[in-house]
Amino acid sequence: MTERIVIVGAGECGTRAAFALREQGFSGEIALISEEHQLPYERPPLSKQALLEPKLEPYYIASAQQFDAARIQLHLASKVTAIQRELQVITLETNGKSQALAYSKLLLATGASPRKLPTLMGIDCYYLRTFEDAQRIRLGLKAGKHIVMIGGGLIGLELAASARQLGAAVTVVEADSRILRRAIPANIAAALAKRHEQAGVHLIYNGTIQRAYQDKNKINLVVKTGVELRADSVIVAIGTTPNVNLAQTAGLAVDNGIVVNEYLQTADPHIYAAGDCCNFLHATQGRLRLETWRSAQQQGNLAANNLLGVQQPYSAVPWFWSDQYELGLQVAGLTKPEHQRVVRYLSDNSLIEFELDSTGHLVMAAGLGVATAVAKAIRIAELLIAKKAKVAPQLLADPNLNLKKLLK
Amino acid sequence: MSQWIEACVTDDIDAEDVLRFDYGGHSYAVYHSPEGEFYATDGLCTHEKVQLADGLVMDNIIECPKHNGRFNYKTGAALGATVCVNLKTYPVKVENNTLYIQV
Ligand SMILES: Cc1cc2nc3c(=O)[nH]c(=O)nc-3n(C[C@H](O)[C@H](O)[C@H](O)COP(=O)(O)OP(=O)(O)OC[C@H]3O[C@@H](n4cnc5c(N)ncnc54)[C@H](O)[C@@H]3O)c2cc1C
Ligand code: FES
């Protein structure tokens, strides 16, 4: 029998894994299965630049010809509904028709879905994950409309920036006393919040939604702070939950993600999981579920290698970027409240905030600046973090010190 | 018609680093290799329109500041995954510590 690797989910991770299998010389069959209707596309533009273009178009990850050339069988509009592990067979449903597909190895790259806000049950509101979600949201983003974003996370803030750039009035309701507590340190968060306020975004902190009701075409939101908001569109971006149903039903361990080891392998040696859907053992950071574009790609590559028998652990320094207005944010490493912090001020809107652990090792660097102005510094910081470098705080704080010197 | 354009003085670029240079509405990136040689390529990444000069140079490689696509700046070769379209390269020459590129 020819070998067949089946990949469930054709997002950033699954798609990368499929191509990586070929790049690594795998010659058997590759089936890449997506419940979505279009060719695999990039999600990051959906909250940012794609919304600002005259016509919203998907940014495809690869063309139909590239899938053909790599002999990747792409099953679109097809949902995997079951895994029979003892038989190594999945069930695939396409347009109401059911089909069984045998696998020698299986990769779950099912991604995540927006977390729903129970208070808004029955109210028309938007969530953003897919191209179709972005199309629906885009219709409401125009001058004269009031958009309320629930959640001051990365996607919420990117959408807020895009909505302002399209002329809509924007209120962001954040439950915490500051934005982005889990993702970035306080000084960077403050600079970003300031930029939003300059752009006319109304930021409400400590703002849980107590009640919501609809009248005519408006949605009214009663916020805990006592404020009542009247919105034309409400967009909820309060985080995600990993898509684990398929794995769970098949009896695989699930705990905020499909549980895998450092090789991205589940307890079933034939089944791996990678990308936003997995809770993996990071070589230095313990258990993590990352939801970033780069980790989805890296894990796709790594899972492909390991499916082919390599056994490489995932050890990359977590990294993500975000674009809001003219500003680019880049973050390497993970921020933690107990870290020591050092700030390097570069210019008005531009700064880098570093974090050191209790033994003086650089563990996180977050930078904010116009476009990719801080990219080089953050990339060098990432290499320093990976090298477990100890760096004196005064060197980090000095804007005239080229960080590259510390790498040598 | 191609012509030699003055891009910068050689001291402007550290060894193993890159500098942006704009001319005629077009961005270029000029490089100083660790061996002390100079090179020039298009300034924008072939993936999205991002200034490569904000990226990190390591040996022969420029890494895009946005998604870490990598190019060999000496040949323009795209080195995989995110970037698959090669970068255009341009001839350079140094005269009296001034770097010229042929565009
Ligand atoms: C709007 C938006 C903006 C973002 N911006 C950034 C950013 O600026 N920077 C950054 O670092 N990251 C960003 N991200 C995060 C990044 O896009 C994700 O981390 C990445 O897409 C994860 O890839 P994935 O393949 O693991 O999951 P996904 O991209 O979610 O793909 C999973 C796919 O699997 C499909 N699927 C699930 N179950 C089944 C099934 N049973 N059968 C068939 N198909 C199935 C899903 O429908 C989906 O298509 C953003 C995400 C969003 C939504
Ligand atoms: S813009 Fe350069 S790799 Fe994406």
Side-chain angles (χ1 to χ4, degrees), chain A residues 123-140:
Chain A
I123 303 277
D124 295 323
C125 59
Y126 299 102
Y127 293 88
L128 175 57
R129 185 76 190 180
T130 64
F131 180 73
E132 289 74 20
D133 292 339
Q135 277 181 314
R136 284 188 285 267
I137 288 173
R138 176 71 182 80
L139 295 174

Side-chain angles (χ1 to χ4, degrees), chain A residues 8-15 33-36 41-48 78-81 92 109-113 128-130 155 158 243 246 274-277 290-297 319-323:
Chain A
V8 187
E12 199 60 53
C13 181
T15 305
I33 302 167
S34 173
E35 64 189 345
E36 297 197 54
Y41 56 89
E42 306 278 6
R43 295 188 200 283
L46 298 178
S47 46
K48 12 185 176 322
S78 301
K79 192 177 170 81
V80 177
T81 53
L92 186 64
T110 50
S113 301
L128 175 57
R129 185 76 190 180
T130 64
I155 291 181
E158 287 177 359
N243 296 329
L246 183 63
D276 282 17
C277 71
L290 294 177
E291 298 182 73
T292 68
W293 182 88
R294 201 209 272 180
S295 58
Q297 275 208 348
W319 177 92
F320 71 87
W321 92 97
S322 172
D323 298 320

Side-chain angles (χ1 to χ4, degrees), chain A residues 16 42 49 59 66 293-294 297 319 321 323 330 370 372-373 375-376 379-380 383 402 404 407-408, chain B residues 14-18 47-48 50-51 53-58 63 65-68 70 81-82 84:
Chain A
R16 182 83 286 276
E42 306 278 6
Q49 73 266 36
Y59 287 43
Q66 286 171 311
W293 182 88
R294 201 209 272 180
Q297 275 208 348
W319 177 92
W321 92 97
D323 298 320
Q330 293 204 1
V370 172
T372 44
K376 204 181 294 191
R379 178 70 175 122
I380 295 167
L383 297 171
N402 184 348
K404 209 169 172 184
L407 256 186
K408 303 282 168 187
Chain B
D14 289 341
E16 203 178 34
D17 209 352
V18 56
H47 180 226
E48 286 171 25
V50 165
Q51 290 289 348
D54 283 341
L56 185 65
V57 175
M58 282 175 293
E63 197 181 60
K66 198 69 190 256
H67 311 118
N68 305 108
R70 291 167 163 223
T82 22
C84 41

Side-chain angles (χ1 to χ4, degrees), chain A residues 146-211:
Chain A
H146 180 209
I147 315 294
V148 174
M149 288 291 327
I150 300 179
L154 289 163
I155 291 181
L157 293 171
E158 287 177 359
L159 277 171
S162 301
R164 277 307 292 141
Q165 284 164 285
L166 291 165
V170 180
T171 304
V172 174
V173 184
E174 165 57 50
D176 201 343
S177 58
R178 54 160 275 203
I179 55 168
L180 293 167
R181 188 181 298 279
R182 278 181 308 123
I184 57 175
N187 287 292
I188 298 273
L192 198 56
K194 192 172 127 206
R195 180 66 188 89
H196 277 280
E197 275 159 0
Q198 275 169 0
V201 171
H202 179 204
L203 272 164
I204 299 177
Y205 296 105
N206 306 309
T208 32
I209 307 293
Q210 288 191 312
R211 203 157 62 82

Side-chain angles (χ1 to χ4, degrees), chain A residues 7-39:
Chain A
I7 303 172
V8 187
E12 199 60 53
C13 181
T15 305
R16 182 83 286 276
F19 281 98
L21 284 170
R22 282 291 178 247
E23 289 157 16
Q24 297 306 318
F26 176 67
S27 60
E29 284 183 30
I30 302 172
L32 177 61
I33 302 167
S34 173
E35 64 189 345
E36 297 197 54
H37 294 251
Q38 20 211 338
L39 283 176

